[in-house]
Amino acid sequence: MTKKLAKSAISQKRVLDAAARIFRDFGYAGTTMRAIADEADLKAGSIYYHYKSKDELISAVLDIGIHAVIDTVQNALKALPEDASGRQRIETAIHAHLSAIIDIGDYTLATRRVFGQVPEAIRAKNMRLRNSYGSMWQDILVEAQKRGEFRADANITLARLFILGALNWTVEWFKPGGRTIDDVAREFSSVVVDGLLDKQAGEISGSAQPPSGPRVRAI
Amino acid sequence: MTKKLAKSAISQKRVLDAAARIFRDFGYAGTTMRAIADEADLKAGSIYYHYKSKDELISAVLDIGIHAVIDTVQNALKALPEDASGRQRIETAIHAHLSAIIDIGDYTLATRRVFGQVPEAIRAKNMRLRNSYGSMWQDILVEAQKRGEFRADANITLARLFILGALNWTVEWFKPGGRTIDDVAREFSSVVVDGLLDKQAGEISGSAQPPSGPRVRAI
DNA sequence: ACCAAAACCTAACACTAGTTAGAAAATGTC
DNA sequence: GACATTTTCTAACTAGTGTTAGGTTTTGGT
């Protein structure tokens, strides 16, 4: 166990980044080792020095994709005060999730496009990570509901599926240079939270009232 | 033009259905003509009697997928009274969309999983259909906003992207036998509409108030 | 029973896939 | 500068790809 196999992390990352881009564009079967090698300025055979098979490569890409999201969101939530409201937590989580998946967009998109086509064993392993991320969200929502911030009759599980579905879809249309992540996160939170907020309990935090702009008359 | 090339629509559909299932499971490049043939109880060469290439097959699958959704939603909307509310329209459209994509789930999933990997020309052709579907939703939302039903400060384009993203994601987790489409549609509508509804304008339609169940105290 | 059209099959083509063994280059250490 | 280690390349093998040409069977109308 005292081997000193270092294997130059930077070359490894070069191959991994290239793989993510190619997997993203051509899917699992459509991705060839030769195409990855081209993208990474290598010859096909050389990849096998870093990864021992195509499957090990896609597995690494998948894990990086979900891990980045989990870490980013977890850290953002930890930075919140203990008594943060459900709204704050959701806004924070949405913003962090969007930042993460757009930051490492190649990996996220690769994951989305390839997940259904990957060998069962690899998919199952990655699925465990995704499920643990799902429970993270479930906890936030259930907590807020228990505290009376969210409607008691809301189906939290379905709401969570709705939120994560919409979030994950973002990478398909979000293009850097257009809308900012802040804008998207704010608008998204507004749609989701103001739908979950218990109106019977009266308005709690701010940001629910339209800021300025033209007011529409009621009837 | 007076040819009588009928080409037995039922065989053609058998091949198409098989193709949808295989494309769904293995992606564009991962799908082999031999696998489709197997699934359709044919030999690979025979497929070429019905479709002249793999590309023509995937193109047909993609078009069927989006067309089914467009038709179902359009018909459901047409059946509504002229003065239907925005809430009603959204609930109807969500329900119809879900019904359609789950009904032809193989095609929808195939589309989702394969879209990014298909030759550019085919994708562009199918994209036009999808864009026209997008404007349909945009119209519903903008109309409701103009009538003062939805918050004036809501970004309709973003809201639409969220809704369609979440809807399209449904096929990934929805399993027949569990939740009903009605349940999912109702909950989704509730999350979306009660988030879009202008609270300044007061409650308009019903279904916003929690029906029965335990009421949560405010603070 | 006959026959043409429709539907399917067989066998092969040129090509590309993942992977590997072994040689060659690059790198760093003394 | 020599030498061992790390990294890359070359060239090949087998297996499987989309597609096609031409033959065989099935079908349905007369």
PDB file of all heavy atoms in Angstrom, chain B residues 51-70:
ATOM      1  N   TYR B  51     -38.553   1.959 -43.628  1.00  0.00           N
ATOM      2  CA  TYR B  51     -37.857   3.237 -43.449  1.00  0.00           C
ATOM      3  C   TYR B  51     -36.522   3.149 -44.148  1.00  0.00           C
ATOM      4  O   TYR B  51     -35.826   2.155 -44.033  1.00  0.00           O
ATOM      5  CB  TYR B  51     -37.656   3.529 -41.964  1.00  0.00           C
ATOM      6  CG  TYR B  51     -38.954   3.724 -41.237  1.00  0.00           C
ATOM      7  CD1 TYR B  51     -39.602   2.648 -40.652  1.00  0.00           C
ATOM      8  CD2 TYR B  51     -39.555   4.977 -41.170  1.00  0.00           C
ATOM      9  CE1 TYR B  51     -40.805   2.815 -39.993  1.00  0.00           C
ATOM     10  CE2 TYR B  51     -40.755   5.154 -40.517  1.00  0.00           C
ATOM     11  CZ  TYR B  51     -41.377   4.068 -39.927  1.00  0.00           C
ATOM     12  OH  TYR B  51     -42.560   4.239 -39.300  1.00  0.00           O
ATOM     13  N   LYS B  52     -36.147   4.210 -44.834  1.00  0.00           N
ATOM     14  CA  LYS B  52     -34.978   4.053 -45.670  1.00  0.00           C
ATOM     15  C   LYS B  52     -33.655   4.319 -44.964  1.00  0.00           C
ATOM     16  O   LYS B  52     -32.597   4.185 -45.585  1.00  0.00           O
ATOM     17  CB  LYS B  52     -35.106   4.878 -46.956  1.00  0.00           C
ATOM     18  CG  LYS B  52     -35.179   6.350 -46.834  1.00  0.00           C
ATOM     19  CD  LYS B  52     -34.905   6.963 -48.232  1.00  0.00           C
ATOM     20  CE  LYS B  52     -35.403   8.392 -48.349  1.00  0.00           C
ATOM     21  NZ  LYS B  52     -36.789   8.531 -48.786  1.00  0.00           N
ATOM     22  N   SER B  53     -33.700   4.671 -43.688  1.00  0.00           N
ATOM     23  CA  SER B  53     -32.455   4.810 -42.927  1.00  0.00           C
ATOM     24  C   SER B  53     -32.755   4.927 -41.447  1.00  0.00           C
ATOM     25  O   SER B  53     -33.896   5.158 -41.042  1.00  0.00           O
ATOM     26  CB  SER B  53     -31.670   6.034 -43.397  1.00  0.00           C
ATOM     27  OG  SER B  53     -32.305   7.206 -42.944  1.00  0.00           O
ATOM     28  N   LYS B  54     -31.722   4.779 -40.667  1.00  0.00           N
ATOM     29  CA  LYS B  54     -31.848   4.950 -39.226  1.00  0.00           C
ATOM     30  C   LYS B  54     -32.290   6.378 -38.901  1.00  0.00           C
ATOM     31  O   LYS B  54     -33.103   6.600 -38.000  1.00  0.00           O
ATOM     32  CB  LYS B  54     -30.483   4.648 -38.577  1.00  0.00           C
ATOM     33  CG  LYS B  54     -30.469   4.633 -37.071  1.00  0.00           C
ATOM     34  CD  LYS B  54     -29.047   4.382 -36.578  1.00  0.00           C
ATOM     35  CE  LYS B  54     -28.962   4.433 -35.052  1.00  0.00           C
ATOM     36  NZ  LYS B  54     -27.569   4.247 -34.572  1.00  0.00           N
ATOM     37  N   ASP B  55     -31.771   7.328 -39.656  1.00  0.00           N
ATOM     38  CA  ASP B  55     -32.130   8.723 -39.414  1.00  0.00           C
ATOM     39  C   ASP B  55     -33.609   8.989 -39.658  1.00  0.00           C
ATOM     40  O   ASP B  55     -34.240   9.769 -38.949  1.00  0.00           O
ATOM     41  CB  ASP B  55     -31.288   9.638 -40.313  1.00  0.00           C
ATOM     42  CG  ASP B  55     -29.868   9.795 -39.766  1.00  0.00           C
ATOM     43  OD1 ASP B  55     -29.589   9.214 -38.703  1.00  0.00           O
ATOM     44  OD2 ASP B  55     -29.078  10.485 -40.401  1.00  0.00           O
ATOM     45  N   GLU B  56     -34.145   8.346 -40.678  1.00  0.00           N
ATOM     46  CA  GLU B  56     -35.568   8.556 -40.955  1.00  0.00           C
ATOM     47  C   GLU B  56     -36.410   7.975 -39.819  1.00  0.00           C
ATOM     48  O   GLU B  56     -37.476   8.498 -39.480  1.00  0.00           O
ATOM     49  CB  GLU B  56     -35.955   7.899 -42.280  1.00  0.00           C
ATOM     50  CG  GLU B  56     -37.281   8.384 -42.828  1.00  0.00           C
ATOM     51  CD  GLU B  56     -37.572   7.792 -44.194  1.00  0.00           C
ATOM     52  OE1 GLU B  56     -38.131   6.688 -44.245  1.00  0.00           O
ATOM     53  OE2 GLU B  56     -37.223   8.424 -45.207  1.00  0.00           O
ATOM     54  N   LEU B  57     -35.926   6.909 -39.237  1.00  0.00           N
ATOM     55  CA  LEU B  57     -36.633   6.295 -38.106  1.00  0.00           C
ATOM     56  C   LEU B  57     -36.634   7.219 -36.888  1.00  0.00           C
ATOM     57  O   LEU B  57     -37.699   7.485 -36.310  1.00  0.00           O
ATOM     58  CB  LEU B  57     -35.940   4.983 -37.735  1.00  0.00           C
ATOM     59  CG  LEU B  57     -36.699   3.688 -37.979  1.00  0.00           C
ATOM     60  CD1 LEU B  57     -35.857   2.510 -37.556  1.00  0.00           C
ATOM     61  CD2 LEU B  57     -38.021   3.677 -37.247  1.00  0.00           C
ATOM     62  N   ILE B  58     -35.475   7.709 -36.523  1.00  0.00           N
ATOM     63  CA  ILE B  58     -35.418   8.558 -35.332  1.00  0.00           C
ATOM     64  C   ILE B  58     -36.206   9.833 -35.563  1.00  0.00           C
ATOM     65  O   ILE B  58     -36.871  10.341 -34.653  1.00  0.00           O
ATOM     66  CB  ILE B  58     -33.958   8.874 -34.934  1.00  0.00           C
ATOM     67  CG1 ILE B  58     -33.908   9.631 -33.598  1.00  0.00           C
ATOM     68  CG2 ILE B  58     -33.259   9.705 -35.979  1.00  0.00           C
ATOM     69  CD1 ILE B  58     -34.457   8.853 -32.447  1.00  0.00           C
ATOM     70  N   SER B  59     -36.159  10.330 -36.775  1.00  0.00           N
ATOM     71  CA  SER B  59     -36.927  11.534 -37.093  1.00  0.00           C
ATOM     72  C   SER B  59     -38.420  11.302 -36.875  1.00  0.00           C
ATOM     73  O   SER B  59     -39.120  12.144 -36.313  1.00  0.00           O
ATOM     74  CB  SER B  59     -36.656  11.938 -38.537  1.00  0.00           C
ATOM     75  OG  SER B  59     -37.351  13.119 -38.844  1.00  0.00           O
ATOM     76  N   ALA B  60     -38.896  10.139 -37.302  1.00  0.00           N
ATOM     77  CA  ALA B  60     -40.311   9.806 -37.115  1.00  0.00           C
ATOM     78  C   ALA B  60     -40.658   9.707 -35.639  1.00  0.00           C
ATOM     79  O   ALA B  60     -41.695  10.207 -35.189  1.00  0.00           O
ATOM     80  CB  ALA B  60     -40.633   8.494 -37.830  1.00  0.00           C
ATOM     81  N   VAL B  61     -39.788   9.072 -34.874  1.00  0.00           N
ATOM     82  CA  VAL B  61     -40.031   8.936 -33.434  1.00  0.00           C
ATOM     83  C   VAL B  61     -40.106  10.317 -32.772  1.00  0.00           C
ATOM     84  O   VAL B  61     -41.008  10.590 -31.976  1.00  0.00           O
ATOM     85  CB  VAL B  61     -38.921   8.084 -32.777  1.00  0.00           C
ATOM     86  CG1 VAL B  61     -39.005   8.173 -31.259  1.00  0.00           C
ATOM     87  CG2 VAL B  61     -39.031   6.637 -33.222  1.00  0.00           C
ATOM     88  N   LEU B  62     -39.174  11.187 -33.122  1.00  0.00           N
ATOM     89  CA  LEU B  62     -39.154  12.524 -32.524  1.00  0.00           C
ATOM     90  C   LEU B  62     -40.433  13.291 -32.848  1.00  0.00           C
ATOM     91  O   LEU B  62     -41.035  13.922 -31.981  1.00  0.00           O
ATOM     92  CB  LEU B  62     -37.947  13.317 -33.040  1.00  0.00           C
ATOM     93  CG  LEU B  62     -36.568  12.862 -32.586  1.00  0.00           C
ATOM     94  CD1 LEU B  62     -35.491  13.757 -33.170  1.00  0.00           C
ATOM     95  CD2 LEU B  62     -36.470  12.827 -31.083  1.00  0.00           C
ATOM     96  N   ASP B  63     -40.832  13.222 -34.102  1.00  0.00           N
ATOM     97  CA  ASP B  63     -42.011  13.989 -34.517  1.00  0.00           C
ATOM     98  C   ASP B  63     -43.281  13.472 -33.850  1.00  0.00           C
ATOM     99  O   ASP B  63     -44.129  14.253 -33.414  1.00  0.00           O
ATOM    100  CB  ASP B  63     -42.158  13.954 -36.040  1.00  0.00           C
ATOM    101  CG  ASP B  63     -41.123  14.843 -36.716  1.00  0.00           C
ATOM    102  OD1 ASP B  63     -40.360  15.502 -35.991  1.00  0.00           O
ATOM    103  OD2 ASP B  63     -41.078  14.879 -37.955  1.00  0.00           O
ATOM    104  N   ILE B  64     -43.416  12.157 -33.762  1.00  0.00           N
ATOM    105  CA  ILE B  64     -44.584  11.601 -33.094  1.00  0.00           C
ATOM    106  C   ILE B  64     -44.639  12.059 -31.650  1.00  0.00           C
ATOM    107  O   ILE B  64     -45.698  12.423 -31.136  1.00  0.00           O
ATOM    108  CB  ILE B  64     -44.547  10.055 -33.159  1.00  0.00           C
ATOM    109  CG1 ILE B  64     -44.868   9.587 -34.578  1.00  0.00           C
ATOM    110  CG2 ILE B  64     -45.560   9.460 -32.181  1.00  0.00           C
ATOM    111  CD1 ILE B  64     -44.930   8.084 -34.703  1.00  0.00           C
ATOM    112  N   GLY B  65     -43.492  12.063 -31.000  1.00  0.00           N
ATOM    113  CA  GLY B  65     -43.439  12.456 -29.600  1.00  0.00           C
ATOM    114  C   GLY B  65     -44.012  13.838 -29.353  1.00  0.00           C
ATOM    115  O   GLY B  65     -44.892  14.011 -28.515  1.00  0.00           O
ATOM    116  N   ILE B  66     -43.552  14.814 -30.101  1.00  0.00           N
ATOM    117  CA  ILE B  66     -44.003  16.183 -29.839  1.00  0.00           C
ATOM    118  C   ILE B  66     -45.412  16.416 -30.389  1.00  0.00           C
ATOM    119  O   ILE B  66     -46.226  17.114 -29.799  1.00  0.00           O
ATOM    120  CB  ILE B  66     -43.000  17.222 -30.386  1.00  0.00           C
ATOM    121  CG1 ILE B  66     -43.435  18.651 -30.047  1.00  0.00           C
ATOM    122  CG2 ILE B  66     -42.804  17.069 -31.868  1.00  0.00           C
ATOM    123  CD1 ILE B  66     -43.427  18.955 -28.571  1.00  0.00           C
ATOM    124  N   HIS B  67     -45.718  15.790 -31.535  1.00  0.00           N
ATOM    125  CA  HIS B  67     -47.051  15.965 -32.118  1.00  0.00           C
ATOM    126  C   HIS B  67     -48.147  15.474 -31.179  1.00  0.00           C
ATOM    127  O   HIS B  67     -49.197  16.099 -31.059  1.00  0.00           O
ATOM    128  CB  HIS B  67     -47.146  15.221 -33.453  1.00  0.00           C
ATOM    129  CG  HIS B  67     -46.993  16.118 -34.629  1.00  0.00           C
ATOM    130  ND1 HIS B  67     -46.149  15.845 -35.685  1.00  0.00           N
ATOM    131  CD2 HIS B  67     -47.559  17.311 -34.917  1.00  0.00           C
ATOM    132  CE1 HIS B  67     -46.212  16.829 -36.560  1.00  0.00           C
ATOM    133  NE2 HIS B  67     -47.061  17.729 -36.114  1.00  0.00           N
ATOM    134  N   ALA B  68     -47.910  14.344 -30.538  1.00  0.00           N
ATOM    135  CA  ALA B  68     -48.924  13.802 -29.632  1.00  0.00           C
ATOM    136  C   ALA B  68     -49.219  14.790 -28.517  1.00  0.00           C
ATOM    137  O   ALA B  68     -50.382  15.002 -28.142  1.00  0.00           O
ATOM    138  CB  ALA B  68     -48.437  12.469 -29.057  1.00  0.00           C
ATOM    139  N   VAL B  69     -48.168  15.415 -27.999  1.00  0.00           N
ATOM    140  CA  VAL B  69     -48.366  16.376 -26.919  1.00  0.00           C
ATOM    141  C   VAL B  69     -49.130  17.593 -27.429  1.00  0.00           C
ATOM    142  O   VAL B  69     -50.106  18.044 -26.820  1.00  0.00           O
ATOM    143  CB  VAL B  69     -47.010  16.799 -26.329  1.00  0.00           C
ATOM    144  CG1 VAL B  69     -47.199  17.882 -25.291  1.00  0.00           C
ATOM    145  CG2 VAL B  69     -46.307  15.606 -25.717  1.00  0.00           C
ATOM    146  N   ILE B  70     -48.697  18.119 -28.563  1.00  0.00           N
ATOM    147  CA  ILE B  70     -49.357  19.307 -29.113  1.00  0.00           C
ATOM    148  C   ILE B  70     -50.841  19.043 -29.332  1.00  0.00           C
ATOM    149  O   ILE B  70     -51.705  19.823 -28.906  1.00  0.00           O
ATOM    150  CB  ILE B  70     -48.688  19.724 -30.446  1.00  0.00           C
ATOM    151  CG1 ILE B  70     -47.269  20.239 -30.179  1.00  0.00           C
ATOM    152  CG2 ILE B  70     -49.512  20.787 -31.153  1.00  0.00           C
ATOM    153  CD1 ILE B  70     -46.526  20.687 -31.429  1.00  0.00           C
TER     154      ILE B  70
END
